[in-house]
Amino acid sequence: MLRARVTSLWQTRMLRETRLTVADEIENALSYYRATFLEEIPALYADIEGALVEHGLPARLPAFL
């Protein structure tokens, strides 16, 4: 019931002057990636490369993400 109410409000003009487009949805999703996922990739690479060095392996990773 709550989900239906929130969906109804989200899709009405009461909250938005215009209906969201596919481009709006894409931009919204990308904003989350920019704020979280993309900032964490360098840290992930650093952690993995550090673990490789600890095990005597080459420290340079090829890009995989």
Short mmCIF file of all heavy atoms in Angstrom, two decimals:
data_model
loop_
_atom_site.label_atom_id
_atom_site.label_comp_id
_atom_site.label_asym_id
_atom_site.label_seq_id
_atom_site.Cartn_x
_atom_site.Cartn_y
_atom_site.Cartn_z
N MET A 1 0.81 -1.18 0.00
CA MET A 1 0.00 0.00 0.00
C MET A 1 0.87 1.26 0.00
O MET A 1 0.62 2.17 -0.78
CB MET A 1 -0.93 -0.02 1.21
CG MET A 1 -1.63 1.26 1.40
SD MET A 1 -3.36 0.97 1.48
CE MET A 1 -3.90 2.56 1.93
N LEU A 2 1.88 1.29 0.85
CA LEU A 2 2.77 2.45 0.91
C LEU A 2 3.52 2.62 -0.41
O LEU A 2 3.63 3.73 -0.93
CB LEU A 2 3.75 2.31 2.07
CG LEU A 2 4.74 3.45 2.24
CD1 LEU A 2 4.02 4.76 2.46
CD2 LEU A 2 5.68 3.15 3.39
N ARG A 3 3.99 1.51 -0.97
CA ARG A 3 4.71 1.56 -2.24
C ARG A 3 3.83 2.15 -3.33
O ARG A 3 4.26 2.98 -4.12
CB ARG A 3 5.19 0.17 -2.64
CG ARG A 3 5.92 0.20 -3.98
CD ARG A 3 6.46 -1.13 -4.33
NE ARG A 3 7.64 -1.32 -3.52
CZ ARG A 3 8.49 -2.31 -3.62
NH1 ARG A 3 8.27 -3.25 -4.48
NH2 ARG A 3 9.53 -2.39 -2.85
N ALA A 4 2.58 1.73 -3.39
CA ALA A 4 1.65 2.24 -4.40
C ALA A 4 1.42 3.74 -4.21
O ALA A 4 1.37 4.50 -5.18
CB ALA A 4 0.32 1.49 -4.33
N ARG A 5 1.31 4.18 -2.98
CA ARG A 5 1.09 5.60 -2.70
C ARG A 5 2.32 6.43 -3.11
O ARG A 5 2.19 7.47 -3.74
CB ARG A 5 0.79 5.79 -1.22
CG ARG A 5 0.51 7.19 -0.79
CD ARG A 5 -0.77 7.71 -1.37
NE ARG A 5 -1.86 6.88 -0.85
CZ ARG A 5 -3.08 7.28 -0.68
NH1 ARG A 5 -3.40 8.51 -1.00
NH2 ARG A 5 -3.99 6.49 -0.22
N VAL A 6 3.50 5.95 -2.75
CA VAL A 6 4.73 6.66 -3.11
C VAL A 6 4.88 6.71 -4.63
O VAL A 6 5.21 7.75 -5.20
CB VAL A 6 5.97 6.00 -2.45
CG1 VAL A 6 7.26 6.55 -3.03
CG2 VAL A 6 5.93 6.19 -0.95
N THR A 7 4.62 5.61 -5.30
CA THR A 7 4.69 5.57 -6.76
C THR A 7 3.71 6.55 -7.38
O THR A 7 4.04 7.28 -8.31
CB THR A 7 4.42 4.15 -7.28
OG1 THR A 7 5.41 3.28 -6.73
CG2 THR A 7 4.50 4.09 -8.79
N SER A 8 2.52 6.58 -6.85
CA SER A 8 1.50 7.50 -7.36
C SER A 8 1.94 8.95 -7.20
O SER A 8 1.83 9.76 -8.13
CB SER A 8 0.18 7.27 -6.63
OG SER A 8 -0.76 8.23 -7.01
N LEU A 9 2.47 9.30 -6.05
CA LEU A 9 2.94 10.66 -5.82
C LEU A 9 4.13 11.01 -6.70
O LEU A 9 4.24 12.11 -7.23
CB LEU A 9 3.29 10.86 -4.35
CG LEU A 9 2.12 10.90 -3.38
CD1 LEU A 9 2.63 10.87 -1.95
CD2 LEU A 9 1.26 12.11 -3.63
N TRP A 10 5.02 10.05 -6.86
CA TRP A 10 6.23 10.26 -7.64
C TRP A 10 5.89 10.55 -9.10
O TRP A 10 6.56 11.33 -9.76
CB TRP A 10 7.11 9.03 -7.51
CG TRP A 10 8.34 9.06 -8.37
CD1 TRP A 10 9.44 9.84 -8.20
CD2 TRP A 10 8.59 8.26 -9.51
NE1 TRP A 10 10.35 9.57 -9.16
CE2 TRP A 10 9.87 8.60 -9.98
CE3 TRP A 10 7.87 7.28 -10.16
CZ2 TRP A 10 10.42 8.00 -11.09
CZ3 TRP A 10 8.43 6.68 -11.27
CH2 TRP A 10 9.69 7.04 -11.72
N GLN A 11 4.84 9.92 -9.61
CA GLN A 11 4.51 10.05 -11.02
C GLN A 11 3.51 11.17 -11.31
O GLN A 11 3.14 11.38 -12.46
CB GLN A 11 3.94 8.73 -11.53
CG GLN A 11 4.97 7.62 -11.55
CD GLN A 11 4.40 6.30 -11.97
OE1 GLN A 11 3.19 6.08 -11.93
NE2 GLN A 11 5.27 5.39 -12.36
N THR A 12 3.09 11.89 -10.32
CA THR A 12 2.10 12.95 -10.55
C THR A 12 2.75 14.31 -10.64
O THR A 12 3.90 14.51 -10.24
CB THR A 12 1.05 12.99 -9.42
OG1 THR A 12 1.72 13.27 -8.20
CG2 THR A 12 0.30 11.68 -9.32
N ARG A 13 2.00 15.26 -11.13
CA ARG A 13 2.50 16.61 -11.27
C ARG A 13 2.63 17.31 -9.92
O ARG A 13 3.26 18.35 -9.83
CB ARG A 13 1.57 17.41 -12.17
CG ARG A 13 1.54 16.86 -13.57
CD ARG A 13 0.98 17.87 -14.45
NE ARG A 13 2.14 18.33 -15.22
CZ ARG A 13 2.08 18.94 -16.34
NH1 ARG A 13 0.92 19.25 -16.84
NH2 ARG A 13 3.15 19.29 -16.99
N MET A 14 2.05 16.73 -8.88
CA MET A 14 2.13 17.36 -7.58
C MET A 14 3.59 17.55 -7.15
O MET A 14 3.94 18.54 -6.54
CB MET A 14 1.40 16.50 -6.53
CG MET A 14 1.24 17.22 -5.21
SD MET A 14 0.48 16.24 -3.88
CE MET A 14 -0.67 15.19 -4.70
N LEU A 15 4.42 16.61 -7.51
CA LEU A 15 5.83 16.69 -7.13
C LEU A 15 6.73 17.12 -8.28
O LEU A 15 7.81 17.63 -8.06
CB LEU A 15 6.30 15.32 -6.62
CG LEU A 15 5.63 14.82 -5.36
CD1 LEU A 15 6.12 13.44 -5.00
CD2 LEU A 15 5.88 15.77 -4.21
N ARG A 16 6.31 16.89 -9.50
CA ARG A 16 7.14 17.19 -10.66
C ARG A 16 6.35 18.01 -11.67
O ARG A 16 5.20 17.73 -11.92
CB ARG A 16 7.60 15.91 -11.35
CG ARG A 16 8.39 15.01 -10.45
CD ARG A 16 8.99 13.87 -11.26
NE ARG A 16 9.69 12.95 -10.42
CZ ARG A 16 10.93 13.12 -9.99
NH1 ARG A 16 11.59 14.18 -10.34
NH2 ARG A 16 11.50 12.24 -9.21
N GLU A 17 7.00 19.01 -12.24
CA GLU A 17 6.32 19.80 -13.24
C GLU A 17 6.18 19.05 -14.56
O GLU A 17 5.24 19.27 -15.31
CB GLU A 17 7.06 21.11 -13.47
CG GLU A 17 6.97 22.04 -12.28
CD GLU A 17 7.60 23.38 -12.56
OE1 GLU A 17 7.82 23.71 -13.73
OE2 GLU A 17 7.86 24.09 -11.59
N THR A 18 7.15 18.18 -14.85
CA THR A 18 7.09 17.38 -16.07
C THR A 18 7.37 15.93 -15.72
O THR A 18 8.01 15.62 -14.71
CB THR A 18 8.12 17.84 -17.11
OG1 THR A 18 9.41 17.74 -16.54
CG2 THR A 18 7.86 19.28 -17.54
N ARG A 19 6.91 15.06 -16.57
CA ARG A 19 7.15 13.63 -16.37
C ARG A 19 8.61 13.30 -16.66
O ARG A 19 9.23 13.90 -17.54
CB ARG A 19 6.24 12.87 -17.33
CG ARG A 19 6.07 11.45 -16.98
CD ARG A 19 5.06 10.82 -17.94
NE ARG A 19 5.00 9.43 -17.66
CZ ARG A 19 3.95 8.82 -17.18
NH1 ARG A 19 2.84 9.49 -17.01
NH2 ARG A 19 3.97 7.55 -16.91
N LEU A 20 9.17 12.37 -15.91
CA LEU A 20 10.55 11.97 -16.12
C LEU A 20 10.69 11.28 -17.47
O LEU A 20 9.83 10.51 -17.87
CB LEU A 20 11.01 11.02 -15.03
CG LEU A 20 11.24 11.62 -13.66
CD1 LEU A 20 11.57 10.52 -12.66
CD2 LEU A 20 12.33 12.65 -13.69
N THR A 21 11.81 11.55 -18.12
CA THR A 21 12.12 10.87 -19.38
C THR A 21 13.15 9.78 -19.11
O THR A 21 13.72 9.70 -18.01
CB THR A 21 12.71 11.86 -20.40
OG1 THR A 21 13.97 12.34 -19.89
CG2 THR A 21 11.76 13.03 -20.65
N VAL A 22 13.40 8.98 -20.11
CA VAL A 22 14.44 7.95 -19.98
C VAL A 22 15.78 8.61 -19.69
O VAL A 22 16.55 8.13 -18.84
CB VAL A 22 14.50 7.07 -21.25
CG1 VAL A 22 15.69 6.13 -21.20
CG2 VAL A 22 13.21 6.30 -21.43
N ALA A 23 16.06 9.71 -20.37
CA ALA A 23 17.32 10.42 -20.14
C ALA A 23 17.42 10.91 -18.69
O ALA A 23 18.49 10.87 -18.09
CB ALA A 23 17.45 11.60 -21.11
N ASP A 24 16.30 11.37 -18.12
CA ASP A 24 16.29 11.79 -16.71
C ASP A 24 16.64 10.62 -15.79
O ASP A 24 17.39 10.76 -14.83
CB ASP A 24 14.93 12.35 -16.31
CG ASP A 24 14.58 13.65 -17.01
OD1 ASP A 24 15.50 14.42 -17.32
OD2 ASP A 24 13.38 13.87 -17.25
N GLU A 25 16.06 9.47 -16.09
CA GLU A 25 16.32 8.28 -15.27
C GLU A 25 17.78 7.86 -15.37
O GLU A 25 18.41 7.49 -14.38
CB GLU A 25 15.41 7.12 -15.71
CG GLU A 25 13.96 7.34 -15.41
CD GLU A 25 13.63 7.23 -13.93
OE1 GLU A 25 14.51 6.93 -13.10
OE2 GLU A 25 12.46 7.43 -13.60
N ILE A 26 18.34 7.92 -16.57
CA ILE A 26 19.75 7.56 -16.76
C ILE A 26 20.64 8.52 -15.99
O ILE A 26 21.57 8.10 -15.29
CB ILE A 26 20.11 7.53 -18.26
CG1 ILE A 26 19.40 6.37 -18.94
CG2 ILE A 26 21.62 7.45 -18.45
CD1 ILE A 26 19.48 6.41 -20.45
N GLU A 27 20.37 9.80 -16.11
CA GLU A 27 21.17 10.81 -15.39
C GLU A 27 21.08 10.60 -13.88
O GLU A 27 22.08 10.71 -13.17
CB GLU A 27 20.71 12.22 -15.77
CG GLU A 27 21.55 13.31 -15.14
CD GLU A 27 23.01 13.26 -15.52
OE1 GLU A 27 23.34 12.87 -16.65
OE2 GLU A 27 23.85 13.61 -14.66
N ASN A 28 19.90 10.29 -13.40
CA ASN A 28 19.71 10.04 -11.98
C ASN A 28 20.53 8.83 -11.53
O ASN A 28 21.21 8.87 -10.51
CB ASN A 28 18.22 9.83 -11.68
CG ASN A 28 17.96 9.70 -10.21
OD1 ASN A 28 18.55 10.38 -9.39
ND2 ASN A 28 17.05 8.81 -9.86
N ALA A 29 20.48 7.75 -12.30
CA ALA A 29 21.24 6.54 -11.95
C ALA A 29 22.73 6.82 -11.98
O ALA A 29 23.47 6.39 -11.09
CB ALA A 29 20.88 5.41 -12.90
N LEU A 30 23.20 7.54 -13.00
CA LEU A 30 24.62 7.84 -13.10
C LEU A 30 25.10 8.72 -11.96
O LEU A 30 26.25 8.61 -11.53
CB LEU A 30 24.93 8.50 -14.44
CG LEU A 30 24.85 7.58 -15.66
CD1 LEU A 30 25.09 8.38 -16.93
CD2 LEU A 30 25.83 6.44 -15.55
N SER A 31 24.25 9.57 -11.44
CA SER A 31 24.66 10.41 -10.32
C SER A 31 25.01 9.57 -9.10
O SER A 31 25.92 9.91 -8.34
CB SER A 31 23.57 11.43 -9.98
OG SER A 31 22.45 10.81 -9.39
N TYR A 32 24.30 8.45 -8.90
CA TYR A 32 24.64 7.55 -7.79
C TYR A 32 25.98 6.88 -8.04
O TYR A 32 26.79 6.74 -7.12
CB TYR A 32 23.56 6.49 -7.60
CG TYR A 32 22.31 7.05 -6.99
CD1 TYR A 32 21.18 7.32 -7.77
CD2 TYR A 32 22.24 7.33 -5.63
CE1 TYR A 32 20.03 7.84 -7.21
CE2 TYR A 32 21.10 7.86 -5.06
CZ TYR A 32 20.00 8.11 -5.86
OH TYR A 32 18.87 8.63 -5.30
N TYR A 33 26.23 6.45 -9.27
CA TYR A 33 27.52 5.83 -9.58
C TYR A 33 28.66 6.81 -9.37
O TYR A 33 29.69 6.47 -8.84
CB TYR A 33 27.54 5.30 -11.01
CG TYR A 33 26.78 4.01 -11.18
CD1 TYR A 33 25.65 3.96 -11.96
CD2 TYR A 33 27.20 2.85 -10.56
CE1 TYR A 33 24.93 2.79 -12.11
CE2 TYR A 33 26.50 1.67 -10.70
CZ TYR A 33 25.37 1.65 -11.48
OH TYR A 33 24.68 0.49 -11.62
N ARG A 34 28.47 8.04 -9.82
CA ARG A 34 29.52 9.05 -9.65
C ARG A 34 29.81 9.30 -8.17
O ARG A 34 30.94 9.53 -7.78
CB ARG A 34 29.11 10.36 -10.31
CG ARG A 34 29.16 10.31 -11.81
CD ARG A 34 28.84 11.68 -12.41
NE ARG A 34 28.43 11.51 -13.78
CZ ARG A 34 27.20 11.71 -14.24
NH1 ARG A 34 26.26 12.14 -13.44
NH2 ARG A 34 26.92 11.52 -15.50
N ALA A 35 28.77 9.27 -7.36
CA ALA A 35 28.92 9.58 -5.94
C ALA A 35 29.47 8.40 -5.14
O ALA A 35 30.00 8.60 -4.05
CB ALA A 35 27.57 10.02 -5.36
N THR A 36 29.34 7.19 -5.63
CA THR A 36 29.75 6.04 -4.82
C THR A 36 30.69 5.12 -5.57
O THR A 36 31.87 5.07 -5.31
CB THR A 36 28.52 5.23 -4.37
OG1 THR A 36 27.77 4.83 -5.52
CG2 THR A 36 27.64 6.03 -3.45
N PHE A 37 30.15 4.39 -6.52
CA PHE A 37 30.88 3.31 -7.20
C PHE A 37 32.16 3.79 -7.86
O PHE A 37 33.23 3.21 -7.66
CB PHE A 37 29.94 2.67 -8.23
CG PHE A 37 30.53 1.51 -8.96
CD1 PHE A 37 30.79 0.32 -8.31
CD2 PHE A 37 30.82 1.61 -10.31
CE1 PHE A 37 31.32 -0.75 -9.00
CE2 PHE A 37 31.35 0.55 -11.00
CZ PHE A 37 31.61 -0.64 -10.33
N LEU A 38 32.08 4.84 -8.64
CA LEU A 38 33.25 5.28 -9.39
C LEU A 38 34.36 5.82 -8.50
O LEU A 38 35.53 5.74 -8.85
CB LEU A 38 32.85 6.33 -10.44
CG LEU A 38 31.94 5.79 -11.54
CD1 LEU A 38 31.57 6.91 -12.51
CD2 LEU A 38 32.57 4.63 -12.28
N GLU A 39 34.01 6.34 -7.34
CA GLU A 39 35.05 6.81 -6.42
C GLU A 39 35.73 5.65 -5.69
O GLU A 39 36.84 5.80 -5.18
CB GLU A 39 34.45 7.78 -5.41
CG GLU A 39 34.02 9.09 -6.04
CD GLU A 39 33.45 10.07 -5.04
OE1 GLU A 39 33.48 9.77 -3.83
OE2 GLU A 39 32.98 11.12 -5.47
N GLU A 40 35.08 4.51 -5.64
CA GLU A 40 35.64 3.38 -4.91
C GLU A 40 36.54 2.50 -5.76
O GLU A 40 37.32 1.72 -5.23
CB GLU A 40 34.51 2.52 -4.33
CG GLU A 40 33.76 3.21 -3.22
CD GLU A 40 34.65 3.60 -2.06
OE1 GLU A 40 35.52 2.79 -1.67
OE2 GLU A 40 34.51 4.71 -1.55
N ILE A 41 36.46 2.61 -7.08
CA ILE A 41 37.29 1.76 -7.94
C ILE A 41 38.78 1.94 -7.68
O ILE A 41 39.49 0.94 -7.54
CB ILE A 41 36.94 1.97 -9.43
CG1 ILE A 41 35.54 1.40 -9.70
CG2 ILE A 41 37.97 1.30 -10.34
CD1 ILE A 41 35.03 1.67 -11.09
N PRO A 42 39.30 3.16 -7.59
CA PRO A 42 40.74 3.29 -7.29
C PRO A 42 41.13 2.64 -5.96
O PRO A 42 42.20 2.03 -5.85
CB PRO A 42 40.96 4.81 -7.25
CG PRO A 42 39.87 5.37 -8.10
CD PRO A 42 38.70 4.46 -7.86
N ALA A 43 40.28 2.75 -4.96
CA ALA A 43 40.58 2.12 -3.67
C ALA A 43 40.58 0.60 -3.80
O ALA A 43 41.42 -0.09 -3.21
CB ALA A 43 39.56 2.57 -2.62
N LEU A 44 39.65 0.08 -4.57
CA LEU A 44 39.59 -1.37 -4.80
C LEU A 44 40.86 -1.85 -5.49
O LEU A 44 41.47 -2.84 -5.08
CB LEU A 44 38.36 -1.72 -5.64
CG LEU A 44 38.24 -3.17 -6.09
CD1 LEU A 44 38.07 -4.09 -4.89
CD2 LEU A 44 37.08 -3.32 -7.06
N TYR A 45 41.27 -1.13 -6.54
CA TYR A 45 42.51 -1.49 -7.23
C TYR A 45 43.70 -1.44 -6.29
O TYR A 45 44.55 -2.33 -6.31
CB TYR A 45 42.75 -0.54 -8.40
CG TYR A 45 42.12 -0.99 -9.70
CD1 TYR A 45 40.76 -0.86 -9.92
CD2 TYR A 45 42.90 -1.54 -10.70
CE1 TYR A 45 40.18 -1.27 -11.10
CE2 TYR A 45 42.34 -1.95 -11.91
CZ TYR A 45 40.97 -1.81 -12.09
OH TYR A 45 40.41 -2.23 -13.26
N ALA A 46 43.79 -0.41 -5.46
CA ALA A 46 44.90 -0.28 -4.52
C ALA A 46 44.93 -1.44 -3.55
O ALA A 46 46.00 -2.00 -3.26
CB ALA A 46 44.82 1.05 -3.78
N ASP A 47 43.76 -1.84 -3.05
CA ASP A 47 43.69 -2.98 -2.11
C ASP A 47 44.15 -4.27 -2.79
O ASP A 47 44.91 -5.05 -2.21
CB ASP A 47 42.27 -3.16 -1.58
CG ASP A 47 41.86 -2.06 -0.62
OD1 ASP A 47 42.73 -1.29 -0.16
OD2 ASP A 47 40.64 -1.97 -0.33
N ILE A 48 43.69 -4.50 -3.99
CA ILE A 48 44.05 -5.72 -4.70
C ILE A 48 45.54 -5.72 -5.03
O ILE A 48 46.23 -6.73 -4.83
CB ILE A 48 43.22 -5.89 -5.99
CG1 ILE A 48 41.74 -6.13 -5.62
CG2 ILE A 48 43.74 -7.03 -6.84
CD1 ILE A 48 40.79 -6.09 -6.80
N GLU A 49 46.04 -4.60 -5.52
CA GLU A 49 47.47 -4.52 -5.84
C GLU A 49 48.33 -4.69 -4.59
O GLU A 49 49.37 -5.34 -4.63
CB GLU A 49 47.78 -3.21 -6.56
CG GLU A 49 47.24 -3.20 -7.98
CD GLU A 49 47.44 -1.88 -8.69
OE1 GLU A 49 47.77 -0.86 -8.03
OE2 GLU A 49 47.25 -1.85 -9.92
N GLY A 50 47.87 -4.15 -3.46
CA GLY A 50 48.60 -4.35 -2.20
C GLY A 50 48.64 -5.80 -1.79
O GLY A 50 49.68 -6.31 -1.34
N ALA A 51 47.54 -6.50 -1.97
CA ALA A 51 47.50 -7.93 -1.64
C ALA A 51 48.41 -8.73 -2.57
O ALA A 51 49.07 -9.68 -2.14
CB ALA A 51 46.06 -8.44 -1.73
N LEU A 52 48.47 -8.34 -3.83
CA LEU A 52 49.36 -9.03 -4.77
C LEU A 52 50.82 -8.87 -4.36
O LEU A 52 51.59 -9.83 -4.38
CB LEU A 52 49.15 -8.50 -6.19
CG LEU A 52 47.83 -8.86 -6.86
CD1 LEU A 52 47.68 -8.12 -8.18
CD2 LEU A 52 47.72 -10.36 -7.07
N VAL A 53 51.20 -7.64 -3.96
CA VAL A 53 52.58 -7.38 -3.53
C VAL A 53 52.91 -8.22 -2.30
O VAL A 53 54.00 -8.80 -2.21
CB VAL A 53 52.78 -5.87 -3.25
CG1 VAL A 53 54.10 -5.62 -2.54
CG2 VAL A 53 52.72 -5.08 -4.54
N GLU A 54 51.98 -8.32 -1.38
CA GLU A 54 52.20 -9.11 -0.16
C GLU A 54 52.48 -10.57 -0.49
O GLU A 54 53.17 -11.27 0.25
CB GLU A 54 50.99 -9.03 0.77
CG GLU A 54 50.84 -7.70 1.46
CD GLU A 54 49.61 -7.64 2.33
OE1 GLU A 54 48.99 -8.69 2.61
OE2 GLU A 54 49.24 -6.52 2.73
N HIS A 55 51.93 -11.03 -1.60
CA HIS A 55 52.11 -12.43 -2.00
C HIS A 55 53.20 -12.60 -3.05
O HIS A 55 53.34 -13.65 -3.66
CB HIS A 55 50.78 -13.00 -2.51
CG HIS A 55 49.79 -13.21 -1.42
ND1 HIS A 55 48.99 -12.19 -0.96
CD2 HIS A 55 49.48 -14.30 -0.69
CE1 HIS A 55 48.21 -12.66 0.01
NE2 HIS A 55 48.49 -13.93 0.20
N GLY A 56 53.99 -11.55 -3.27
CA GLY A 56 55.12 -11.64 -4.18
C GLY A 56 54.74 -11.69 -5.66
O GLY A 56 55.51 -12.15 -6.48
N LEU A 57 53.58 -11.20 -5.99
CA LEU A 57 53.11 -11.18 -7.38
C LEU A 57 53.27 -9.79 -7.96
O LEU A 57 53.39 -8.80 -7.23
CB LEU A 57 51.66 -11.62 -7.45
CG LEU A 57 51.38 -13.05 -6.93
CD1 LEU A 57 49.90 -13.30 -6.80
CD2 LEU A 57 52.01 -14.06 -7.86
N PRO A 58 53.25 -9.69 -9.29
CA PRO A 58 53.34 -8.35 -9.91
C PRO A 58 52.19 -7.45 -9.42
O PRO A 58 51.05 -7.90 -9.31
CB PRO A 58 53.20 -8.64 -11.40
CG PRO A 58 53.55 -10.07 -11.56
CD PRO A 58 53.18 -10.75 -10.27
N ALA A 59 52.52 -6.21 -9.12
CA ALA A 59 51.55 -5.32 -8.49
C ALA A 59 50.67 -4.56 -9.48
O ALA A 59 49.76 -3.87 -9.09
CB ALA A 59 52.26 -4.31 -7.60
N ARG A 60 50.94 -4.66 -10.76
CA ARG A 60 50.18 -3.89 -11.74
C ARG A 60 49.02 -4.73 -12.25
O ARG A 60 49.20 -5.79 -12.81
CB ARG A 60 51.10 -3.50 -12.89
CG ARG A 60 50.66 -2.33 -13.66
CD ARG A 60 50.79 -1.04 -12.86
NE ARG A 60 49.80 -0.11 -13.40
CZ ARG A 60 49.01 0.64 -12.68
NH1 ARG A 60 49.09 0.64 -11.40
NH2 ARG A 60 48.15 1.41 -13.24
N LEU A 61 47.80 -4.22 -12.05
CA LEU A 61 46.61 -4.91 -12.54
C LEU A 61 46.17 -4.34 -13.88
O LEU A 61 46.21 -3.14 -14.09
CB LEU A 61 45.44 -4.68 -11.57
CG LEU A 61 45.37 -5.49 -10.32
CD1 LEU A 61 44.13 -5.09 -9.52
CD2 LEU A 61 45.31 -6.96 -10.61
N PRO A 62 45.72 -5.21 -14.77
CA PRO A 62 45.10 -4.69 -15.98
C PRO A 62 43.71 -4.13 -15.62
O PRO A 62 43.10 -4.56 -14.65
CB PRO A 62 44.96 -5.92 -16.88
CG PRO A 62 44.94 -7.06 -15.93
CD PRO A 62 45.78 -6.66 -14.75
N ALA A 63 43.25 -3.18 -16.38
CA ALA A 63 41.92 -2.61 -16.13
C ALA A 63 40.86 -3.67 -16.38
O ALA A 63 40.85 -4.31 -17.42
CB ALA A 63 41.70 -1.41 -17.02
N PHE A 64 40.01 -3.90 -15.41
CA PHE A 64 38.93 -4.85 -15.60
C PHE A 64 37.58 -4.26 -15.22
O PHE A 64 36.56 -4.88 -15.44
CB PHE A 64 39.17 -6.16 -14.85
CG PHE A 64 39.27 -6.03 -13.36
CD1 PHE A 64 38.15 -6.19 -12.56
CD2 PHE A 64 40.48 -5.76 -12.74
CE1 PHE A 64 38.23 -6.08 -11.18
CE2 PHE A 64 40.56 -5.66 -11.37
CZ PHE A 64 39.46 -5.81 -10.60
N LEU A 65 37.54 -3.09 -14.65
CA LEU A 65 36.26 -2.42 -14.36
C LEU A 65 36.18 -1.13 -15.13
O LEU A 65 37.10 -0.43 -15.32
CB LEU A 65 36.13 -2.12 -12.86
CG LEU A 65 35.97 -3.30 -11.95
CD1 LEU A 65 35.91 -2.83 -10.50
CD2 LEU A 65 34.73 -4.09 -12.28
#
